[in-house]
Amino acid sequence: MINYTPIIHSKLPNTGTTIFTVMSALAREHNAINLSQGFPDFEPPARLITAVSKAMRQGNNQYAPMAGNILLRERIAEKINANYGLSVNPETDITITAGGTQAIFTAILATVREDEEVILFAPAYDSYAPAIELAGGKAIFYDMEAPEYRVDWQKVKRLINQRTRMIIINNPHNPTGGILTAEDMSELEKLVHRTDIILLSDEVYEHIVFDGIQHQSVLRYPRLAERSFVVFSFGKIYHCTGWKVGYCVAPQPLMQEFRKVHQYNVFSVSSPVQAAFAEIIADKDWFEELGAFYEEKRNFFRQAISSSRFKLLPCSGAYFQLAAYSRISDERDVEFVVRLTKEKGVAAIPVSVFYRSHVDQSIIRFCFAKEEDTLKRAAERLLKV
Ligand code: GLN
C-alpha cells in the first residue's frame, strides 16, 4: 500500500503518453484495423531470421562492442560510399543504436545545453521536443502547412540566432510523406555555412522514396555531412521495428560526444541481431526494391480509398498517407481519430499533435505498411465514413 508519494517536479510537465502508444492501445481495445502506429503487419525476410538464430547458435550472445559490431559498421560504410559517395570511417564515424529514437535522443543529449535552441519543422516527430527539453534546451517550431508542407528557408533564417545549436530535419518526412529536394539541401547549406550549428538528420525512411525521386541524404552533401548526425533504422528497412536496431553516422568529433552518452545509456545493442544485419546488408537489391515495394502499397491504398470522402494529400516517401476529412466532420482531429477507431474500426494518427501550437487542419495519418488484404479491409470501412 502507498502511504506517501515523494514530491516530484516533472521534468516534462507538458508531455503525455506518445500518440503511437495511445492509438495502438485504442485499436487493440476496439479490435480496429491499426493504421495508426507505423509498423508493418508482414514479416522480415526469412534469411534475416535464419541469420539471427544462426548467430545465436554460434555463440554470438555476449556484449557487442560499445560502438557496434565492426563488420556491420564496415558494411554500412561501404553502403554509404556506394549510395552517397561519402567516405566514412567505420571505426570512428558509425555507432549502432537501439533504434532511431535512441540515436536521436543521444545526439541531442550529447550536444544541446541549457538554454540553447533547436529548430524543428512541424509537424515534427514527437520524440524530438521532449529530448531537447530534457537537455535543458528550447524547441523552436517552424510550422509547415498542408498540403505541400514546404519550407521557406528565408523564414527559417529569421529563427536563427546566437543560441541556435541545432536544426533537425526529417527526410523522407514522418508524418507528411514529404521529401526534401536538392534545392532545399542547397538552401540549408547556405543557412548553416560558417556557423556552429549542428544538423540532426532523421533519415529512417531512407530508400522509401517514390516516383523515381532520388533520396537527398545529407551524406550526399559534404558541407552538411561535416556537421551532421544522420540517423537510420534497420527496423524500417527490414520490416522488423520490434528489434529496435538502427545506427547513427557523424564525423568523429561529433561521434566522440555521442558515444560518451551512448556508452552509459544503452552501452551496446543486441549482438546476434547485429551479426545478422552484417550478413545480409551486402544485398543491394533489397534496398533498390524497397521503394517500389512501398510505392505499390501507396498506390493500392490511394486507389482503394479514392472514392471515399477523404481528400488525399501528396505522398512522395515514407509509409504514411495523409488524408483531410473536412468533408466528413468538423471535429478536432484528436476526437475524429478516436471516433474513427471506435465506431468505424480503423485507427489513424491525428496530425495536430506534431505541432507545438496544435495546428489542426483536419488531417490524419494512415500507415500503409500493411498486407494488401489489410489495406483492402481498411478501405472498405473508410469508404463508409
Ligand atoms: N515511428 C513510428 C510512427 O511514426 C512510431 C514509433 C513509436 O511508436 N515509437 O508511427
Side-chain angles (χ1 to χ4, degrees):
M1 199 181 85
I2 297 175
N3 25 19
Y4 182 74
T5 304
I7 294 165
I8 306 166
H9 298 290
S10 174
K11 296 180 84 172
L12 294 171
N14 303 316
T15 301
T17 302
T18 170
I19 191 70
F20 306 114
T21 296
V22 171
M23 290 314 301
S24 275
L26 196 72
R28 267 194 305 277
E29 189 188 330
H30 294 275
N31 208 8
I33 299 174
N34 189 1
L35 304 190
S36 65
Q37 191 180 27
F39 61 89
D41 71 346
F42 38 86
E43 296 305 318
R47 67 184 191 287
L48 178 59
I49 294 179
T50 307
V52 175
S53 53
K54 189 181 82 188
M56 285 178 171
R57 278 196 301 272
Q58 287 179 344
N60 213 329
N61 299 303
Q62 308 310 325
Y63 293 124
M66 184 269 277
N69 176 316
I70 187 63
L71 204 66
L72 176 58
R73 285 185 282 147
E74 282 165 4
R75 296 273 179 280
I76 291 171
E78 285 161 17
K79 173 179 183 295
I80 289 171
N81 203 301
N83 288 346
Y84 305 128
L86 186 77
S87 147
V88 299
N89 182 339
E91 285 284 353
T92 54
D93 306 352
I94 299 172
T95 299
I96 311 298
T97 61
T101 304
Q102 185 241 311
I104 290 162
F105 192 88
T106 301
I108 293 171
L109 217 63
T111 54
V112 176
R113 286 170 183 270
E114 194 80 23
D115 296 327
E116 288 185 333
E117 296 185 356
V118 179
I119 297 174
L120 303 181
F121 297 92
Y125 188 63
D126 72 342
S127 84
Y128 304 154
I132 295 160
E133 281 153 28
L134 275 178
K138 197 170 163 205
I140 306 293
F141 281 74
Y142 173 100
D143 288 351
M144 301 188 291
E145 281 181 25
E148 295 292 336
Y149 298 101
R150 304 284 352 143
V151 176
D152 178 341
W153 295 99
Q154 284 313 309
K155 287 191 184 150
V156 179
K157 194 171 180 180
R158 282 181 233 141
L159 299 178
I160 294 177
N161 61 46
Q162 289 299 315
R163 291 185 301 280
T164 308
R165 166 80 284 177
M166 178 184 271
I167 297 176
I168 304 182
I169 57 173
N170 175 206
N171 182 34
H173 190 261
N174 178 7
T176 67
I179 43 117
L180 292 172
T181 63
E183 203 184 332
D184 287 315
M185 302 310 273
S186 97
E187 291 294 325
L188 180 58
E189 230 171 30
K190 281 186 231 152
L191 213 62
V192 295
H193 186 56
R194 294 191 192 285
T195 73
D196 290 314
I197 296 172
I198 296 171
L199 291 178
L200 173 54
S201 185
D202 174 353
E203 302 186 15
V204 296
Y205 297 98
E206 175 202 33
H207 304 301
I208 311 182
V209 177
F210 312 135
D211 308 317
I213 297 168
Q214 186 187 55
H215 171 53
Q216 297 300 320
S217 174
V218 300
L219 299 178
R220 282 188 198 278
Y221 299 85
R223 277 164 56 190
L224 292 178
E226 68 190 13
R227 58 175 74 239
S228 296
F229 290 105
V230 193
V231 174
F232 299 97
S233 157
F234 287 118
K236 307 291 189 294
I237 298 309
Y238 291 109
H239 319 322
C240 53
T241 61
W243 294 8
K244 294 298 300 173
V245 181
Y247 57 100
C248 183
V249 180
Q252 193 268 341
L254 292 183
M255 190 50 86
Q256 184 181 317
E257 296 307 308
F258 182 100
R259 288 182 185 170
K260 288 180 189 174
V261 177
H262 176 82
Q263 67 184 343
Y264 294 129
N265 184 9
V266 286
F267 181 61
S268 72
V269 175
S270 168
S271 46
V273 169
Q274 291 190 63
F277 284 131
E279 198 177 309
I280 80 158
I281 195 174
D283 173 13
K284 291 198 191 81
D285 293 347
W286 179 265
F287 309 118
E288 278 158 22
E289 287 157 17
L290 197 67
F293 173 79
Y294 276 116
E295 185 168 333
E296 211 176 301
K297 294 198 179 292
R298 177 201 66 172
N299 294 348
F300 181 85
F301 184 58
R302 285 178 72 98
Q303 175 61 33
I305 60 170
S306 60
S307 62
S308 74
R309 291 197 290 158
F310 287 98
K311 190 163 168 248
L312 301 182
L313 276 69
C315 167
S316 303
Y319 45 52
F320 304 112
Q321 175 63 56
L322 292 189
Y325 62 84
S326 45
R327 285 193 292 219
I328 299 168
S329 159
D330 53 15
E331 282 162 293
R332 290 174 53 227
D333 62 357
V334 283
E335 287 156 9
F336 183 74
V337 290
V338 169
R339 201 165 60 79
L340 194 68
T341 308
K342 289 185 181 171
E343 294 176 12
K344 308 291 176 184
V346 181
I349 295 288
V351 170
S352 71
V353 301
F354 302 113
Y355 288 89
R356 165 93 2 130
S357 45
H358 292 274
V359 174
D360 187 348
Q361 296 187 289
S362 305
I363 293 171
I364 59 175
R365 188 197 83 174
F366 295 113
C367 170
F368 58 76
K370 306 291 170 192
E371 298 278 13
E372 228 167 77
D373 182 59
T374 311
L375 296 174
K376 202 167 138 224
R377 286 189 299 115
E380 279 161 14
R381 297 179 185 190
L382 293 172
L383 290 182
K384 293 190 194 130
V385 179

